[in-house]
Amino acid sequence: QAKAEGRHCARIYHAGLRAQAQGKVLRDTELRLALERGEFEMFYQPQVRLADGALTGAEALLRWRHPEQGLLTPEHFLSALEGGLLSARVGAWVIETACRQAALWRAQGKADFRIGVNIFGAQFRSGNLVEWVVRTCAAAGLPPEALELEITENIILRHEDDIIAPLQELRELGVGVAFDDYGTGFASLSMLTRFPVSRLKIDRSFTHSICDNQAEAAVIHAVLALARSLHLKVTAEGIESKAQALALVREGCDEGQGYYFGRPMNAAAFARTFNLGVAGATARQPSRL
Ligand code: C2E
Ligand code: MG
Ligand code: MG
Ligand code: MG
């Protein structure tokens, strides 16, 4: 009886795995086509100076305008994309698109506008990331100081040896490097001194409870003190209320980002909101990384 049940479960399990594998292959093909058909879009979420709410820049966030499923956020496709070679191509398209958009907005009056771009681990593997980033900034007319690459602890842990040198070089060229989702990982403290970062982005799980949880508030307090002593800039992510923004100002946090200041929006909506223009809206094929 038990044995028969076991066999039955095993069969279901294998069927599940097969479906999963087929699903993955489907997604791979779909994602490849999505890039070729220009179904990816960049959204932009405002980043502000907390003291007065002035716009300092934006984080570029990837969206997939799926022909049947509508607008998809990264939670629906990022895991299928990550790790594969395709992610390097999508990542290249992301940087090119975001750099061109930021250069345009700088030319239209927001002269200090900075753009934060999330990076995939695979983008480090090509070997010429530094040169490619420099060329891409130049082609877009964006000074390297206006670009900030956002890196998560996962990428650091998985690609440690490959990324220190290129990040160091990029920092020397003026490109910013932000430690994304800071505080959620295990090795965050020790990594700070070993990695050439210029900014910490405090994860929204801390921001979220700054007003009602003393322990989380203490963590933010400590992170800000640490950042100050290491001469790092800080952005608090996920600010959803005025009370959270005020608490962060009191703690001396420079910059913030979150629904309270603005949701991620497409370039047209961002431009409308902040009185700016929009770069050529049509997607171009990314150049090879
Ligand atoms: P992230 O880099 O930490 O980006 C911030 C995420 O928090 C975004 O989710 C944003 O929409 C969301 N968010 C911002 N403010 C608030 C808030 O006040 N409340 C709440 N609840 N959420 C807020 P999104 O756009 O779904 O992106 C999720 C993650 O996917 C990003 O986290 C990033 O790790 C990754 N990702 C997004 N775009 C790209 C990309 O172009 N390349 C790479 N490699 N990863 C990307
Ligand atoms: Mg980010
Ligand atoms: Mg983050
Ligand atoms: Mg995140």
Side-chain angles (χ1 to χ4, degrees):
Q1 168 80 46
K3 210 169 164 189
E5 258 173 39
R7 235 181 348 250
H8 181 58
C9 287
R11 209 153 37 223
I12 291 175
Y13 178 71
H14 284 300
L17 277 187
R18 198 158 50 233
Q20 222 175 41
Q22 281 163 356
K24 171 123 177 67
V25 172
L26 269 183
R27 265 298 199 224
D28 277 353
T29 314
E30 251 193 314
L31 284 164
R32 200 169 304 278
L33 285 173
L35 182 64
E36 281 156 23
R37 292 174 179 159
E39 289 169 6
F40 288 115
E41 284 178 30
M42 289 323 291
F43 271 42
Y44 299 90
Q45 184 178 32
Q47 297 180 329
V48 305
R49 191 163 59 210
L50 283 173
D52 59 1
L55 185 74
T56 56
E59 176 171 6
L61 294 160
L62 185 62
R63 298 290 181 265
W64 178 9
R65 182 124 357 232
H66 192 282
E68 282 115 40
Q69 294 163 43
L71 190 70
L72 300 180
T73 52
E75 63 177 324
H76 295 102
F77 60 88
L78 212 64
S79 60
L81 195 58
E82 265 167 352
L85 270 183
L86 187 60
S87 68
R89 289 176 56 205
V90 173
W93 177 82
V94 165
I95 295 182
E96 288 181 342
T97 306
C99 284
R100 264 184 289 135
Q101 186 60 76
L104 184 78
W105 285 338
R106 286 169 69 91
Q108 290 177 331
K110 297 272 185 250
D112 296 334
F113 192 87
R114 194 183 66 226
I115 189 81
V117 181
N118 298 285
I119 194 157
F120 291 104
Q123 291 177 268
F124 287 98
R125 248 176 266 143
S126 73
N128 65 352
L129 179 70
V130 177
E131 188 199 315
W132 183 86
V133 166
V134 168
R135 243 189 304 126
T136 301
C137 282
L142 188 76
E145 295 76 28
L147 175 65
E148 189 167 80
L149 301 177
E150 300 197 0
I151 307 216
T152 58
E153 186 179 298
N154 268 339
I155 293 187
I156 295 179
L157 290 176
R158 252 184 265 147
H159 303 267
E160 177 162 344
D161 295 334
D162 312 345
I163 72 174
I164 294 184
L167 287 182
Q168 185 67 50
E169 273 182 72
L170 285 165
R171 289 281 299 112
E172 280 158 17
L173 291 161
V175 175
V177 176
F179 197 136
D180 206 350
D181 304 338
Y182 189 75
T184 52
F186 295 105
S188 298
L189 267 186
S190 62
M191 282 194 297
L192 273 191
T193 49
R194 277 189 297 132
F195 281 84
V197 295
S198 47
R199 179 184 302 274
L200 300 185
K201 295 193 78 179
I202 300 182
D203 190 69
R204 73 162 181 266
S205 57
F206 297 106
T207 307
H208 192 73
S209 33
I210 187 170
C211 295
D212 37 47
N213 183 323
Q214 280 192 13
E216 309 276 341
V219 170
I220 292 189
H221 187 84
V223 168
L224 287 168
L226 182 68
R228 265 192 293 275
S229 59
L230 293 173
H231 306 290
L232 299 174
K233 288 167 270 183
V234 181
T235 300
E237 300 193 88
I239 301 174
E240 293 184 352
S241 71
K242 186 172 185 175
Q244 288 166 359
L246 288 175
L248 286 157
V249 170
R250 270 199 304 278
E251 289 288 351
C253 182
D254 324 330
E255 285 193 42
Q257 179 182 340
Y259 293 169
Y260 176 65
F261 298 106
R263 296 207 169 228
M265 41 195 139
N266 66 26
F270 192 94
R272 239 180 288 121
T273 306
F274 297 101
N275 277 318
L276 296 159
V278 182
T282 48
R284 276 196 339 192
Q285 283 296 303
S287 68
R288 283 221 94 92
L289 180 63

